[in-house]
Amino acid sequence: MRATPGSLAVFHASGPDDLVSTFVGADDHVHLAATLSRPNALGNALARQFRGRRSLTVSTTAVHSSAHALTIAGAVRKVVTGFLGDTYPTPRPNPLYRALADGEPFEVEMWSLLTYTQRLMAAATGQPWATTGSRIAESDLSAARTEHVARVTHPDGTEVTLLSPLRPDWTLVHGACADRRGNVVLAAPVGEGAWAAYAARHGVLASVERVVDEHDAVLPPDHVMVPGHLVRGICEAPYGAHPQSLRSAGIGGVEGYLDDYHHLTEIVEACRTEEGRQAWFDRWVQVEGHEQYLEQLRVDGAPARIAPSAPPAAAATVGPGVVEPGPPSSASTQEQLTVLAARAVVALVEERGYDTLLAGIGTSHVAAWLARRMLQERGRRVAVAAELGFLDMDPVDGDVFLFSQRHASRSAMLGGVAEVLGGAVAANPRCLGVLSAAEIDRTGTINTSQLPDGRWITGSGGANDIASTTDCLVVAPASRRRYVDRVAHRTSPGDRVRDVVSQFGWFRRDDAGQDFTLTTWLAPPDAPPDLDPRGALRGLTTWPGDGARATAEKPVTSSELRILRSLDPEGHYR
């Protein structure tokens, strides 16, 4: 029987399925908290219990990896999110959401990452509205067409965008540990943080790696992010974030673990076909609770794959120079794109004085990492940030996943979405956003949401927030389907996009009303020998110009390739 909310007593469940069945009703709005350690064991329990009912409303910053279980189960009526697709080994669409624009497999309400978090913050602090500097109201994101977004004019004439609070019935969270009173430890980086815990109408349902007896250990108050009075039910669920990672900070005797890249890749491959995803669901989700899931992991060898969160010196899987790059002529077209983008970032940092690079996931983040290394070699320091809470990160060679816990251990500061997209980006005039695009048009407007034929791509993530508030450089391979006259879907505004880098050169402009001009040129490795700037512009873009002002880029160097291939030895972005 479903428990009645309101009691201060914390219910100690035997496991995730017991916790979910005790509290969650068929028509509830359930929020899956988006720290780096997502509540995947609880999400699987939701998928099992509500399979085929298509009744739940689910909010979460991003639907990827194990969250696909809820989609495959047919448990969800509506999703409120900022991203649907996959993030590893590279960001990409998932066939499950191909017909999302037609309402299949569920109704969706799309936000950007910061506006989504700001709505949770408004609910958590009892505010009737949140204000935002993100220009979601000017986008084609579905949230902009709802009653949750309003534009008002301040008495001083300023246009202000208001967002309604996001208040779920239940917030599901996975923590490193908790005490028996329900105080939950979350270790940074924390993504959306604890805002959804305070925003929930009925309270928090928490799984943790370990429930600590106060006689054995007292949880440090500076690491308790979800206070016990918000928690209605709790259970132990070892590896409850799997296949995502968990950083424990050594509290409560809990040992953290890294992302299971093998498992994440398996999910991506399984979702390619109906037969594959059903087989994956039956094997990993439609089991007899979390204990059987763990047993299946042991059979599959996962404990050997999930390395404990190691100290920085032991985290790297490869080191600089391990991969021999060969001569400069061996650079691929994708490698040339990344190197040219990194060179442009280096030049802009030196020219305009940027002190922070916001690395958007994709080729863009690898280019930002490469630029950071190149600037280091010149004796110049620039901080690289990532939207879920990484500030001044020093990426580990060999792990190309933007949100890896390995990079967390080598960051100067760990926070959350508000600190990064708010403080490090929106409030920092010296930040340069480095973004990717599925489409970009002559105005700089970016599409990462929907193709012209209606097929779903992924969504905004933090891109709209970044492009709304700071100067941006876009890294995108040129083709006539990508460099278009007008994007099919306006995900992110273009007036702060001043620079675009393709595989053959750097486009620049001084003002938002201008067209981009090709200013540098290097023939792509796969180009016909007679290709010139004019031919590249005509054949690979729909943009105007003849490339007459383009100056020659030097060929990609062995040094640049050595750094790039050390960062990405498996070639996910090459």
Side-chain angles (χ1 to χ4, degrees):
M1 179 179 292
R2 183 181 171 191
T4 303
S7 170
L8 289 178
V10 178
F11 174 73
H12 286 258
S14 60
D17 291 84
D18 184 24
L19 190 58
V20 165
S21 64
T22 300
F23 289 95
V24 180
D27 299 317
D28 282 353
H29 175 176
V30 181
H31 181 87
L32 304 180
T35 68
L36 259 66
S37 305
R38 292 171 178 261
N40 289 323
L42 291 172
N44 287 344
L46 283 174
R48 286 189 287 271
Q49 177 157 334
F50 295 99
R51 186 175 188 177
R53 300 173 72 172
R54 197 167 176 166
S55 62
L56 294 173
T57 295
V58 171
S59 54
T60 190
T61 59
V63 178
H64 59 72
S65 57
S66 282
H68 297 324
L70 287 163
T71 306
I72 297 168
V76 181
R77 179 186 64 82
K78 179 179 179 179
V79 168
V80 182
T81 190
F83 180 99
L84 296 103
D86 291 302
T87 59
Y88 187 87
T90 59
R92 63 184 70 186
N94 187 295
L96 282 167
Y97 310 108
R98 185 184 300 269
L100 199 63
D102 297 325
E104 292 296 335
F106 38 61
E107 178 188 351
V108 69
E109 186 177 290
M110 295 300 304
W111 294 84
S112 64
L113 182 57
L114 183 58
T115 57
Y116 180 99
T117 306
Q118 288 168 327
R119 294 186 67 209
L120 290 173
M121 295 169 74
T125 55
Q127 302 302 309
W129 295 92
T131 61
T132 187
S134 299
R135 292 161 54 189
I136 189 170
E138 301 169 43
S139 75
D140 290 332
L141 297 173
S142 59
R145 302 188 293 273
T146 70
E147 70 276 14
H148 300 300
V149 178
R151 299 288 298 277
V152 299
T153 303
H154 189 272
D156 67 2
T158 304
E159 286 283 323
V160 179
T161 300
L162 302 179
L163 313 171
S164 70
L166 178 58
R167 188 176 291 280
D169 295 316
W170 298 103
T171 290
L172 276 52
V173 63
H174 184 73
C177 59
D179 62 25
R180 299 195 63 80
R181 294 174 294 167
N183 297 298
V184 178
V185 167
L186 305 179
V190 294
E192 70 184 35
W195 296 112
Y198 289 94
R201 289 187 178 90
H202 301 330
V204 173
L205 306 179
S207 60
V208 294
E209 298 290 315
R210 180 187 175 203
V211 175
V212 176
D213 192 311
E214 289 90 335
H215 296 294
D216 296 332
V218 176
L219 300 181
D222 54 330
H223 282 82
V224 172
M225 292 195 65
V226 180
H229 74 274
L230 299 177
V231 177
R232 296 293 176 258
I234 196 165
C235 70
E236 285 190 345
Y239 288 100
H242 181 269
Q244 266 77 48
S245 59
L246 180 129
R247 188 168 174 271
S248 67
I251 298 169
V254 172
E255 190 172 36
Y257 45 91
L258 299 174
D259 297 278
D260 184 345
Y261 293 151
H262 176 88
H263 197 91
L264 291 170
T265 303
E266 181 182 340
I267 295 172
V268 172
E269 294 301 317
C271 284
R272 294 182 185 275
T273 65
E274 175 65 26
E275 181 182 29
R277 52 183 171 255
Q278 288 301 328
W280 173 84
F281 187 91
D282 290 343
R283 181 184 184 193
W284 291 106
V285 184
Q286 196 59 43
V287 294
E288 304 245 345
H290 189 61
E291 283 300 320
Q292 188 176 340
Y293 180 89
L294 292 178
E295 184 58 35
Q296 181 66 40
L297 282 180
R298 295 184 189 100
V299 170
D300 199 54
R305 295 198 310 263
I306 309 170
S309 297
T317 56
V318 300
V322 169
V323 181
E324 281 300 321
S329 61
S330 68
S332 69
T333 299
Q334 182 68 21
E335 286 175 323
Q336 180 164 303
L337 168 68
T338 307
V339 169
L340 294 186
R343 288 178 182 177
V345 171
V346 168
L348 291 175
V349 168
E350 294 180 335
E351 175 186 318
R352 301 177 190 162
Y354 297 116
D355 62 17
T356 302
L357 306 177
L358 190 288
I361 193 168
T363 303
S364 49
H365 83 259
V366 181
W369 288 357
L370 177 57
R372 178 187 178 278
R373 294 282 178 88
M374 293 163 65
L375 285 162
Q376 273 185 317
E377 291 184 349
R378 298 182 182 211
R380 182 154 190 158
R381 181 177 178 81
V382 65
V384 176
E387 60 191 28
L388 293 182
F390 299 77
L391 290 148
D392 197 2
M393 63 195 301
D394 179 15
V396 171
D397 283 345
D399 191 342
V400 78
F401 183 43
L402 176 58
F403 302 119
S404 170
Q405 294 283 10
R406 290 189 176 105
H407 310 321
S409 67
R410 290 171 41 141
S411 296
M413 176 184 167
L414 299 173
V417 171
E419 288 85 356
V420 174
L421 294 183
V425 177
N428 179 13
R430 298 174 304 282
C431 177
L432 175 67
V434 186
L435 302 176
S436 298
E439 284 188 326
I440 181 167
D441 66 23
R442 294 168 55 181
T443 72
T445 303
I446 299 168
N447 175 18
T448 54
S449 299
Q450 192 174 324
L451 293 173
D453 63 5
R455 283 179 296 163
W456 184 251
I457 308 172
T458 57
S460 169
N464 178 281
D465 310 304
I466 298 158
S468 294
T469 57
T470 197
D471 292 345
C472 290
L473 176 147
V474 171
V475 186
S479 72
R480 291 183 67 84
R481 290 183 298 178
R482 191 181 301 260
Y483 284 54
V484 297
D485 188 63
R486 183 180 178 85
V487 295
H489 184 285
R490 295 174 300 165
T491 306
S492 305
D495 55 316
R496 298 296 298 267
V497 177
R498 296 176 61 181
D499 302 272
V500 180
V501 179
S502 74
Q503 69 271 35
F504 58 79
W506 180 3
F507 294 83
R508 305 188 71 174
R509 65 178 180 178
D510 294 324
D511 298 309
Q514 299 176 338
D515 283 327
F516 291 97
T517 299
L518 183 67
T519 60
T520 70
W521 163 256
L522 180 63
D526 60 353
D530 60 346
L531 184 69
D532 60 12
R534 182 184 182 90
L537 283 167
R538 289 188 172 183
L540 295 172
T541 83
T542 65
W543 293 3
D546 56 13
R549 294 172 50 190
T551 60
E553 286 261 11
K554 68 179 181 180
V556 175
T557 68
S558 293
S559 174
E560 291 166 329
L561 280 178
R562 183 171 294 108
I563 300 170
L564 175 57
R565 292 176 179 178
S566 294
L567 289 167
D568 183 15
E570 295 180 87
H572 291 307
Y573 291 94
R574 296 191 281 113

